[in-house]
């Protein structure tokens, strides 16, 4: 968790550091801070709260510093106080460091340094880093050597950037936490993610685990884990700076919901042939020998994984969706004929990465269905399959769920085709045809949705239930997760048939039941009627002529398409419902309390 940014170059550092932190706030917003090297030493500003609070504390008239580091924090060790905010400095304030990750042996290191007279003022694991560097400087090492020695003492995961008084370099290292270098003429940016500097440059270089870097205004030196000078490939990212702006929208979440017509087009581009009803995912992996699939993920990505597993099973390919945090205790050992699919927007979720690494160890083939190019999951898996949704800044995942579900839909049909026991859906031609119309249909839902009015209708109820069956169950669970995440109201998603096995005890006239009904089965309608009998208001999320419509008190209509597409449209309606309910309640929509977008701790 946490976002780090650093700048070295000809231009002034303060502005790009602040802008970078604003772009990285989705990674954590408990505290923020900046350190720059000026003519007389290091200036450090930091405070609990958000980057907007930090900006008020930057009290310099001199903004000529060109070298600096910044941090936005999601707390792990120690509460979100001013003292625990990064950058942390050594006891003589001559080395400043920012860090994303966890230093597992920090207690031992702290004890040893304390015995040697080094003083600590925070509860964090990070504070050992500047003090270790100071220790090695005090013992006669040059800055780069001091940094390298310090890094080699650390156990755990980290992306680190440091500035040292009197020195014109940023020293940085990566081990298990993301770090990317942005290159501009005579300026370099180091960050946890590309959006931090995308307004300045789209030319990037991804660091490898074990890399140590020295970045100066006139060049970069990378030393790999073997201690050798290394070259890394320079790439252009195809994200546009505008994709990380809010534009005319009040929140990123609303912008990202509204950008689904374009993001879905990108997800689908070139991946199916309408004439031949063929799916082409351009995968280098031979998947013909696969006899079972594990789809492993967390949160929203887990709901997309449920969606994918359900489709694969419908096509005769045995598949299970498994919560990544439960993988080691409930998945069983995969075989060499198992395909392990990590579904992860960020590609950095620790629970998912841990599961991926055990599956690899067991010999399974591995695929990462991810949004972030060169993310850890993309690099660790045998092959990445990118969902191409573009950068998602709002903590609540919206457009990436749609793109994950569509990517997994294509993958399910592809696997059904190439594996022995599978066969694609009989309705594949209709599916392919409707997928090419999906963007237009999403646009229609966005233009005609009644979600804003409904959000006011059902404000301040006791709880909100979402029910559905099959693919509708994953949409119900996703609808509830989105709702609780941004409104802070109690919401639960259930398989509709499960309602009568317990949750019905919670149903009253104060618990609206959002019922996702897409296919012709009467079962979900019956389950909704059981809730209605107990007084619950029923909101149908369905095509206008579905059997649920007469039972329902209110409606969120979706166009009738191939059921897979209709379920995704139902999800768009629920995204809007969550967004407008949270707006009515005046919640911090893009940065919900206690959360962060990418959870890099287990
Ligand atoms: O980056 P990932 O897809 O691996 O993230 C997994 C979850 O943390 C994430 O989906 C989370 O549940 C979302 N914030 C929900 O909107």
């Amino acid at each position: 968790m946490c976002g780090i940014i650093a700048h070295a170059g000809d231009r002034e550092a303060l502005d790009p550091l602040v802008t970078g932190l604003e772009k990285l706030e989705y990674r954590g917003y408990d505290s923020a801070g900046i350190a720059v090297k000026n003519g007389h030493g290091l200036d450090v500003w930091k405070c609990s709260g958000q980057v907007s609070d930090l900006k008020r504390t930057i009290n310099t008239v001199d903004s000529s510093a060109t070298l600096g580091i910044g941090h936005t924090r999601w707390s792990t060790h120690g509460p979100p106080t001013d003292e625990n905010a990064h950058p942390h400095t050594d006891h003589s304030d001559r080395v400043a460091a920012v860090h994303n990750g966890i230093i597992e042996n920090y207690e031992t290191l702290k004890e040893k340094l304390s015995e040697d007279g080094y003083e600590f003022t925070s509860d964090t694991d990070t504070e050992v880093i500047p003090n270790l560097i100071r220790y090695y400087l005090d013992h006669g090492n040059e800055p780069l050597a001091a940094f390298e020695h310090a890094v080699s003492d650390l156990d755990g995961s980290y992306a680190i950037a440091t500035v040292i008084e009197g020195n014109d370099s940023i020293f940085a290292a990566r081990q298990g936490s993301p770090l990317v270098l942005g290159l501009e003429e005579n300026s370099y940016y180091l960050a946890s993610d590309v959006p931090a500097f995308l307004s300045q440059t789209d030319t990037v270089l991804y660091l490898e685990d074990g890399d140590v870097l020295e970045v100066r205004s006139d060049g970069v030196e990378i030393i790999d884990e073997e201690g050798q000078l290394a070259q890394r490939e320079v790439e252009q990212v195809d994200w546009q700076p505008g994709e990380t702006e809010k534009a005319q929208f009040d929140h990123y979440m609303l912008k990202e919901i509204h950008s689904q017509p374009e993001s879905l087009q990108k997800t689908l581009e070139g991946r199916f042939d309408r004439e031949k009803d063929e799916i082409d995912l351009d995968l280098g992996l031979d998947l013909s020998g696969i006899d079972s699939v594990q789809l492993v993920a967390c949160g929203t990505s887990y709901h997309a994984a449920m969606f994918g597993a359900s489709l694969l099973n419908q096509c005769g390919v045995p598949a299970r969706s498994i919560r990544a945090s439960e993988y080691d205790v409930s998945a069983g050992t995969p075989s060499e004929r198992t395909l392990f699919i990590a579904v992860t927007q960020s590609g950095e979720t620790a629970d998912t990465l841990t599961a991926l690494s055990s599956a690899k160890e067991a010999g399974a083939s591995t695929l990462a269905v991810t949004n972030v190019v060169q993310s850890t999951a993309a690099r660790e898996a045998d092959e990445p399959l990118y969902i191409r949704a573009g950068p998602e800044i709002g903590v609540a995942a919206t457009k990436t769920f749609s793109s994950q579900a569509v990517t997994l839909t294509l993958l399910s049909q592809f696997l059904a085709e190439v594996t022995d026991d599978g066969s694609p859906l009989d309705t594949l031609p209709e599916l392919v045809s409707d997928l090419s119309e999906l963007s237009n249909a999403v646009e229609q839902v966005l233009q005609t949705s009644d979600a804003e009015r409904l959000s006011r209708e059902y404000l301040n109820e006791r709880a909100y239930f979402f029910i559905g069956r099959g693919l509708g169950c994953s949409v119900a669970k996703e609808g509830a997760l989105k709702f609780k995440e941004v409104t802070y109201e109690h919401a639960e998603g259930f398989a509709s048939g499960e309602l009568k096995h317990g949750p019905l005890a919670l149903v009253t006239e104060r618990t609206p039941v959002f019922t996702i009904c897409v296919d012709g089965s009467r079962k979900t309608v019956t389950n909704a009627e059981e809730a209605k009998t107990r007084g619950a208001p029923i909101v149908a999320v369905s095509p206008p002529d579905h059997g649920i419509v007469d039972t329902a008190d209110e409606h969120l209509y979706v166009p009738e398409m191939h059921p897979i597409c209709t379920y995704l449209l139902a999800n768009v309606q629920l995204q809007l419902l969550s967004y407008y309910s949270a707006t009515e309640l005046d919640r911090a929509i893009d940065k919900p309390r206690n959360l962060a977008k990418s959870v890099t701790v287990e």
Side-chain angles (χ1 to χ4, degrees):
M1 199 68 55
C2 306
I4 69 173
I5 169 94
H7 174 272
D10 281 355
R11 58 178 295 182
E12 290 164 5
L14 211 45
D15 263 6
L17 291 176
V18 171
T19 309
L21 289 184
E22 285 169 338
K23 296 291 183 201
L24 290 174
E25 259 193 312
Y26 72 88
R27 300 178 69 88
Y29 30 88
D30 288 340
S31 65
I34 278 179
V36 294
K37 178 184 162 265
N38 56 33
H40 52 270
L42 300 180
D43 277 330
V44 180
W45 301 280
K46 59 183 193 172
C47 64
S48 60
Q50 304 194 0
V51 179
S52 51
D53 301 304
L54 173 69
K55 276 159 105 174
R56 286 192 288 275
T57 74
I58 299 178
N59 55 354
T60 180
V61 280
D62 172 17
S63 63
S64 61
T66 58
L67 196 76
I69 55 178
H71 188 271
T72 177
R73 176 170 189 245
W74 186 80
S75 317
T76 53
H77 292 83
T81 58
D82 291 353
E83 292 71 31
N84 289 336
H86 299 213
H88 287 284
T89 52
D90 70 302
H91 71 307
S92 58
D93 287 337
R94 289 159 66 197
V95 181
V98 290
H99 162 226
N100 169 32
I102 292 192
I103 306 301
E104 282 158 12
N105 59 339
Y106 84 100
E107 277 164 331
T108 320
L109 294 170
K110 193 168 172 173
E111 213 176 287
K112 184 172 166 292
L113 288 162
S114 302
E115 280 166 14
D116 286 344
Y118 292 79
E119 287 159 23
F120 291 82
T121 54
S122 80
D123 311 310
T124 67
D125 51 343
T126 303
E127 203 182 356
V128 296
I129 300 170
N131 280 293
L132 265 181
I133 298 171
R134 181 79 254 157
Y135 171 88
Y136 285 112
L137 288 169
D138 290 346
H139 285 76
N141 292 278
E142 290 300 315
L144 176 61
F147 181 75
E148 286 185 295
H149 285 311
V151 165
S152 66
D153 285 349
L154 305 175
D155 291 339
S157 65
Y158 46 80
I160 301 167
T162 58
V163 279
I164 299 176
E165 185 196 272
N167 188 285
D168 287 330
S169 302
I170 300 284
F171 297 99
R174 176 199 154 121
Q175 181 65 53
S177 296
L179 195 59
V180 55
L181 183 75
L183 300 90
E184 207 189 6
E185 208 179 342
N186 301 329
S187 269
Y188 295 93
Y189 306 85
L190 265 170
S192 302
D193 198 359
V194 172
F197 52 71
L198 191 59
S199 56
Q200 308 299 333
T201 181
D202 60 2
T203 306
V204 304
L205 180 158
Y206 293 96
L207 282 318
E208 302 279 332
D209 275 348
D211 281 353
V212 165
L213 276 82
E214 180 171 0
V215 186
R216 296 174 308 275
S217 59
D218 61 349
V220 178
E221 202 155 271
I222 303 173
I223 301 159
D224 67 16
E225 61 183 343
E226 310 295 335
Q228 303 300 315
L229 277 182
Q231 299 286 339
R232 303 273 174 247
E233 195 185 337
V234 175
E235 305 175 33
Q236 303 291 130
V237 287
D238 69 354
W239 289 355
Q240 304 304 316
E243 288 182 284
T244 63
E245 305 296 335
K246 270 196 280 203
Q248 77 272 25
F249 295 96
D250 289 339
H251 298 96
Y252 281 110
M253 182 179 178
L254 189 61
K255 182 193 174 194
E256 286 157 2
I257 292 172
H258 276 263
S259 67
Q260 290 176 108
E262 300 91 75
S263 52
L264 284 169
Q265 256 168 19
K266 286 194 181 154
T267 302
L268 288 163
E269 211 167 80
R271 284 179 163 169
F272 61 79
D273 182 335
R274 265 190 82 177
E275 304 298 307
K276 299 189 201 147
D277 299 326
E278 269 176 18
I279 313 284
D280 180 9
L281 295 173
D282 198 17
L283 288 174
L285 267 185
D286 176 10
L287 298 173
S288 54
I290 293 303
D291 67 1
S292 65
V293 181
Q294 295 180 331
L295 295 106
V296 179
C298 303
T300 289
S301 297
Y302 174 72
H303 300 141
M306 281 177 73
F307 196 92
S310 182
L311 275 176
L312 280 163
N313 286 316
Q314 281 179 37
C315 296
V317 183
R320 266 183 80 193
S321 55
I322 305 156
R323 294 183 194 279
S325 55
E326 294 281 301
Y327 189 75
D328 56 344
V329 286
S330 67
T333 311
S335 79
E336 285 175 5
R337 297 189 65 193
T338 304
L339 173 64
F340 174 103
I341 306 178
V343 186
T344 165
Q345 185 285 130
S346 61
E348 302 296 345
T349 300
D351 290 328
T352 309
L353 294 176
T354 303
L356 170 61
S357 119
S358 2
K360 270 177 75 171
E361 217 161 282
S365 299
T366 58
L367 198 63
V369 172
T370 183
N371 195 32
V372 180
V373 173
Q374 289 279 2
S375 55
T376 306
R379 291 138 64 108
E380 293 293 315
D382 294 331
E383 182 139 350
L385 175 57
Y386 291 118
I387 64 167
R388 307 178 186 158
E392 187 175 68
I393 309 291
V395 165
T398 52
K399 64 176 181 174
T400 53
F401 173 82
S402 298
S403 289
Q404 285 170 334
V406 163
T407 307
L408 290 171
T409 299
L410 297 178
L411 181 63
S412 69
Q413 300 312 296
F414 177 79
L415 281 171
E417 186 67 58
V418 298
T419 51
D420 287 345
D421 297 330
S423 57
L425 294 171
D426 296 343
T427 55
L428 183 59
E430 291 91 313
L431 172 63
V432 164
S433 158
D434 281 5
L435 282 174
S436 62
E437 288 305 316
L438 184 58
S439 288
N440 291 337
V442 171
E443 192 61 58
Q444 187 185 334
V445 170
L446 295 172
Q447 297 308 324
T448 57
S449 174
D450 213 11
E452 188 170 5
R453 181 189 66 77
L454 265 192
S455 67
R456 290 193 289 270
E457 194 76 17
Y458 292 116
L459 216 54
N460 297 315
E461 299 292 6
R462 185 156 294 154
Y464 299 79
F465 297 138
F466 297 75
I467 61 169
R469 193 159 185 271
L471 297 179
C473 176
S474 33
V475 172
K477 287 189 176 293
E478 173 56 13
L481 175 64
K482 213 83 314 168
F483 199 87
K484 71 180 84 162
E485 186 178 20
V486 294
T487 65
Y488 313 161
E489 295 292 309
H490 181 211
E492 293 301 334
F494 301 110
S496 45
E498 274 296 298
L499 211 55
K500 58 186 178 296
H501 297 292
L504 208 49
L506 300 171
V507 163
T508 69
E509 64 289 348
R510 299 278 316 280
T511 58
V513 176
F514 293 84
T515 308
I516 298 128
C517 274
V518 163
D519 61 23
S521 156
R522 275 287 305 167
K523 290 189 176 180
T524 302
V525 180
T526 306
N527 301 140
E529 279 163 358
E530 289 156 3
K532 189 178 170 95
T533 308
R534 274 87 187 169
I538 304 298
V539 180
V541 191
S542 73
D545 58 358
H546 193 280
I548 184 74
V549 164
D550 297 335
T551 305
D553 301 285
E554 290 284 1
H555 306 90
L556 287 170
Y557 289 128
V558 287
E560 175 134 36
M561 301 182 81
H562 188 286
I564 292 175
C565 297
T566 312
Y567 279 120
L568 295 177
L569 298 174
N571 185 60
V572 173
Q573 284 284 25
L574 297 180
Q575 293 172 346
L576 291 167
L577 176 81
S578 295
Y579 173 79
Y580 286 115
S581 304
T583 315
E584 287 295 327
L585 294 164
D586 202 20
R587 301 300 191 224
I589 294 179
D590 285 332
K591 297 173 200 158
R593 72 178 173 209
N594 304 336
L595 301 180
K597 186 143 190 78
S598 145
V599 186
T600 55
V601 288
E602 284 184 65

